[in-house]
Amino acid sequence: MNAIYVASLSDYNAGRHHGKWIEVHGDAGDVYDQIEAVLKTSSQESAEEYAIHDFEGFGGIELRETESIEDLVFIAEALDHYPAEVVKYFHEKVSAEDLAEKCQEGYIRTTEWNVDPESAVAEYALDYLADGIEGVPQLWRDHIEAVAQSLAVNWINDGAVIPIYAGAGTYHLVRGC
């Protein structure tokens, strides 16, 4: 669940605590409606401004108090479809509006068995090479794993494929920007 804790700044400045957790999904209009409801229930007559005082479920992406609600919806959308580490990686490189599209273009796969980064990329390279080995002499086929290892090292060093560590020997592979 992607959620933000929205607080009324008028209440905060008056020494009161008034806010609510709001789920971020769907469209920005729904989130704004919920924020407006928080402000309307304020004990301060002039409650018009809010701040994001806490958040959860945003995959390690640090949010600001004044984060754009539209951007939050874009981030939440990407998190609904891609691993959090991948979304965080691309969030640092593109606008929130382009985030889901960039994740779709750049996300390759997740390797979920206990491996190191080179082995994770080599597994992908082996699959990549295996698709085109028809007609290749058997002598060369016998060395395909070594070729995959070499290709993996080249891809990592060139930044063509980036292994993002997700913990417990799991890597998400993305195309370099």
Side-chain angles (χ1 to χ4, degrees):
M1 173 179 79
N2 310 313
I4 55 175
Y5 186 84
V6 173
S8 162
L9 286 180
S10 296
D11 287 272
Y12 180 79
N13 291 335
R16 293 183 187 91
H17 179 77
H18 179 72
K20 178 183 174 186
W21 280 99
I22 297 173
E23 284 189 47
V24 178
H25 60 324
D27 68 52
D30 293 339
V31 178
Y32 280 121
D33 288 347
Q34 292 182 63
I35 292 170
E36 187 63 32
V38 169
L39 297 174
K40 283 183 179 178
T41 59
S42 167
S43 61
Q44 299 297 113
E45 290 180 26
S46 61
E48 297 175 352
E49 296 179 345
Y50 67 91
I52 298 169
H53 282 184
D54 201 359
F55 55 91
E56 61 183 32
F58 282 90
I61 296 172
E62 288 297 318
L63 304 180
R64 301 179 316 266
E65 279 190 345
T66 58
E67 198 76 45
S68 157
I69 299 302
E70 288 81 4
D71 285 357
L72 294 177
V73 171
F74 288 130
I75 294 167
E77 176 187 343
L79 287 165
D80 285 346
H81 301 290
Y82 301 99
E85 296 85 0
V86 171
V87 174
K88 182 178 180 187
Y89 172 80
F90 285 119
H91 179 262
E92 296 168 356
K93 298 175 180 347
V94 300
S95 69
E97 185 176 357
D98 297 331
L99 188 56
E101 181 180 343
K102 188 62 178 176
C103 288
Q104 181 180 5
E105 291 171 2
Y107 176 60
I108 298 171
R109 68 164 23 155
T110 296
T111 300
E112 295 182 341
W113 46 283
N114 198 14
V115 296
D116 58 86
E118 286 181 9
S119 296
V121 177
E123 175 193 349
Y124 168 62
L126 188 59
D127 289 347
Y128 174 81
L129 292 170
D131 284 344
I133 64 170
E134 292 178 25
V136 172
Q138 186 62 45
L139 176 65
W140 292 3
R141 288 184 196 189
D142 292 342
H143 300 286
I144 196 164
E145 287 185 25
V147 172
Q149 285 287 343
S150 179
L151 189 55
V153 170
N154 286 340
W155 282 347
I156 291 171
N157 289 340
D158 292 346
V161 176
I162 299 165
I164 301 170
Y165 188 64
T170 298
Y171 288 89
H172 303 294
L173 305 183
V174 298
R175 289 177 181 80
C177 289

